[in-house]
Amino acid sequence: MRGPGSLLCTEAIRGQASPCEVRALSRVRLCGLAAEELKRWIGPPRSPAQAVLGLLLEEAQAQRAEVNLREGTCLLRVARFALAHADFLSEQPDAVRKQVLARMLGMRPETLSRCLTRLERAGAIDASHGVRVQYPRLLSSIVFAATTA
């Protein structure tokens, strides 16, 4: 939901597709601008305005990813997080305390522990010391199965 004066589809500046579907619920006035024209209006590629816009786009993408962490079943959320952060988790297995991770994923620590146990029994992760992804393909298939179910 967006209100008057919203700026949509800024991802086009980076040549990316918009993750949003736009539908008007009332009469709207729409102004459009091609990505190349918007780039020229903002300034040259290495200008401060382009740098700030790039950071804002990255932040918006990160916020969308954070929202996705809280969608779906608890098992899906844990599996998706482990898959998305497999490299970080393998390098620093104790970097994120389980209580903090549970809060980030919108569940109780007990629920997180149950999900980790299920993923460990499936052979996808090793949760004995932090969380290490053992088999990314297996974890990916678990995420896919939970998403399509």
Side-chain angles (χ1 to χ4, degrees), residues 1-119:
M1 297 287 289
R2 302 285 166 80
S6 295
L7 183 61
L8 302 174
C9 304
T10 53
E11 300 83 6
I13 293 170
R14 292 186 155 180
Q16 298 171 335
S18 174
C20 303
E21 179 179 318
V22 179
R23 293 180 185 221
L25 300 177
S26 63
R27 292 181 58 113
V28 296
R29 182 176 300 148
L30 179 67
C31 298
L33 186 62
E36 290 305 315
E37 290 179 47
L38 182 57
K39 286 179 191 177
R40 279 194 299 277
W41 183 74
I42 292 170
R46 290 184 167 46
S47 69
Q50 284 275 4
V52 168
L53 183 60
L55 291 171
L56 290 172
L57 288 172
E58 286 175 21
E59 179 63 26
Q61 188 173 10
Q63 286 176 350
R64 280 192 300 277
E66 286 175 13
V67 168
N68 288 339
L69 286 178
R70 296 175 149 261
E71 291 180 354
T73 66
C74 292
L75 185 66
L76 174 61
R77 287 181 261 167
V78 174
R80 192 184 304 129
F81 177 84
L83 192 59
H85 301 286
D87 293 339
F88 175 75
L89 293 171
S90 67
E91 292 171 12
Q92 301 179 12
D94 292 327
V96 181
R97 290 185 28 220
K98 289 181 181 175
Q99 291 86 355
V100 173
L101 180 56
R103 215 172 311 130
M104 285 172 50
L105 298 176
M107 63 184 74
R108 295 190 332 238
E110 301 82 21
T111 305
L112 173 65
S113 291
R114 282 193 293 275
C115 291
L116 290 172
T117 300
R118 283 182 63 188
L119 293 173

Side-chain angles (χ1 to χ4, degrees), residues 89 92-96 98 116 120 125-132:
L89 293 171
Q92 301 179 12
D94 292 327
V96 181
K98 289 181 181 175
L116 290 172
E120 194 168 32
I125 66 167
D126 174 12
S128 61
H129 185 67
V131 176
R132 273 187 206 272

